Amino acid sequence: MKLRNALKVAALAAVAAVPASGQTAPGGAQPDFSGIWEHANPGFEPLASGPTSLINRSRRPDGTGDGLKLTGDHTNPILKPAAAEVVKKHAELAVNMGAPNPHNQCWIEGPPFLLTNGPTKILQTRDKVVILYQDNSQVRHVRMNAQHPAKVTPSWYGDSVAHYEGDTLVIDTVGIKVGRYSMVDWYGTPHSEALHVVERYRMIDYAAAKEGFERDSKEHNVPAGMPVANPQGKYLQLRFTVEDKNVFTTPWSATMTYRYGGTEALDWVEQACAENPFWYPGKEADVPRAARADF
């Protein structure tokens, strides 16, 4: 299985250099997102102003968010009353990185929750973008310069289409399935099948990334020696917008400013959650199980 996964990654990497169709940056250069990109859990960087993601109300002595006790701010005005109650209840079980969620229960993580997944790798091909997430070996397939079908059948990752706007890759996702542990973030914020997520990826220099790293350091325990730029001295930043008329009072946005994690194939290892399912304290994780055999 590991060899098979390695061959798949190698094959995708081989076509990653093929120019994608669609709009490109001035001068015809397509943005290059190659490399492995990393971000501290539990993820989102709330914006300095405007409707934005929840923060952790549990803080360490140094003022940063306590990642081992996730208490989402249920008073955030983006939440409708019913959603606020879900977040409040989720916080009551906030031990060992939170109550059960798709990450610690080994379930598929739909966007935007998936954006907090461990090391990330973006492979750009002519007709699609493939995004690899190391934790639980998850893969998203994004169609370039396409439209959503008139009727979308909900799926765990949703239906994603993309295009380039200058130096920015824009991914639009709808039709994200609702399941047992479906949530927007690590604070238990729910979503419905009306969820709509737009991601905007671009490479930035340190001056532009610094503000994002500072917001990140207030919420997460950023490792010493970070951030690290790639050989071109660039950083990857994702700004995404979320809307769901059944859960949120307004669309809201946040960022993820990624640190460079290398390029070598050996830096990318398989991490199978179901092989280590004792993350949630006191009992085994609720690993997905098939109702019938596949053969």
Side-chain angles (χ1 to χ4, degrees):
M1 179 63 72
K2 291 184 178 180
L3 177 60
R4 185 186 304 169
N5 288 338
L7 291 173
K8 287 181 180 179
V9 171
L12 288 169
V15 298
V18 178
S21 55
Q23 294 179 309
T24 56
Q30 175 186 297
D32 180 7
F33 303 120
S34 60
I36 297 172
W37 302 98
E38 299 177 341
H39 194 284
N41 279 334
F44 306 157
E45 302 160 357
L47 300 181
S49 62
T52 192
S53 57
L54 275 61
I55 64 169
N56 189 358
R57 299 179 73 175
S58 298
R59 315 303 287 188
R60 301 186 185 92
D62 64 0
T64 60
D66 185 353
L68 295 181
K69 187 176 182 181
L70 301 179
T71 308
D73 182 11
H74 64 275
T75 66
N76 189 319
I78 67 170
L79 298 174
K80 288 190 172 182
E85 285 301 313
V86 172
V87 172
K88 187 176 181 180
K89 183 176 180 179
H90 196 82
E92 295 173 359
L93 301 174
V95 291
N96 195 25
M97 295 199 77
N101 62 47
H103 189 79
N104 61 29
Q105 298 301 300
C106 305
W107 282 65
I108 294 175
E109 305 164 19
F113 189 103
L114 182 65
L115 305 179
T116 71
N117 194 292
T120 300
K121 191 166 187 175
I122 301 174
L123 305 178
Q124 298 162 266
T125 74
R126 182 179 301 279
D127 298 317
K128 70 165 57 176
V129 167
V130 178
I131 307 180
L132 308 178
Y133 302 92
Q134 191 174 78
D135 291 351
N136 215 12
S137 301
Q138 298 186 77
V139 181
R140 289 174 69 194
H141 296 271
V142 181
R143 305 189 313 281
M144 291 298 302
N145 305 303
Q147 301 292 323
H148 296 298
K151 184 176 181 180
V152 178
T153 300
S155 60
W156 293 119
Y157 299 124
D159 184 76
S160 295
V161 296
H163 64 276
Y164 289 101
E165 292 182 359
D167 62 356
T168 302
L169 171 66
V170 182
I171 300 178
D172 187 290
T173 302
V174 297
I176 302 169
K177 187 175 180 178
V178 177
R180 187 179 305 174
Y181 298 108
S182 295
M183 55 189 69
V184 166
D185 54 30
W186 287 65
Y187 306 120
T189 305
H191 72 80
S192 73
E193 289 187 352
L195 180 64
H196 180 200
V197 182
V198 177
E199 303 155 62
R200 303 179 66 88
Y201 296 85
R202 66 189 182 106
M203 300 300 297
I204 57 179
D205 57 24
Y206 181 73
K210 184 174 183 292
E211 189 267 344
F213 287 131
E214 290 175 346
R215 285 186 285 110
D216 187 20
S217 66
K218 293 178 182 178
E219 295 303 315
H220 310 114
N221 184 21
V222 179
M226 296 294 185
V228 177
N230 70 2
Q232 288 73 43
K234 297 292 185 179
Y235 303 81
L236 175 66
Q237 186 173 73
L238 160 64
R239 182 183 177 110
F240 63 95
T241 299
V242 176
E243 56 182 325
D244 185 335
K245 63 182 180 180
N246 299 317
V247 175
F248 303 115
T249 59
T250 182
W252 56 271
S253 301
T255 62
M256 296 277 287
T257 308
Y258 295 92
R259 296 170 286 278
Y260 185 66
T263 60
E264 299 299 326
L266 293 178
D267 294 331
W268 192 266
V269 296
E270 183 179 16
Q271 294 185 359
C273 176
E275 294 179 1
N276 183 28
F278 298 97
W279 290 11
Y280 189 62
K283 61 180 180 180
E284 184 177 346
D286 185 17
V287 178
R289 293 171 172 81
R292 56 186 175 83
D294 293 332
F295 53 87

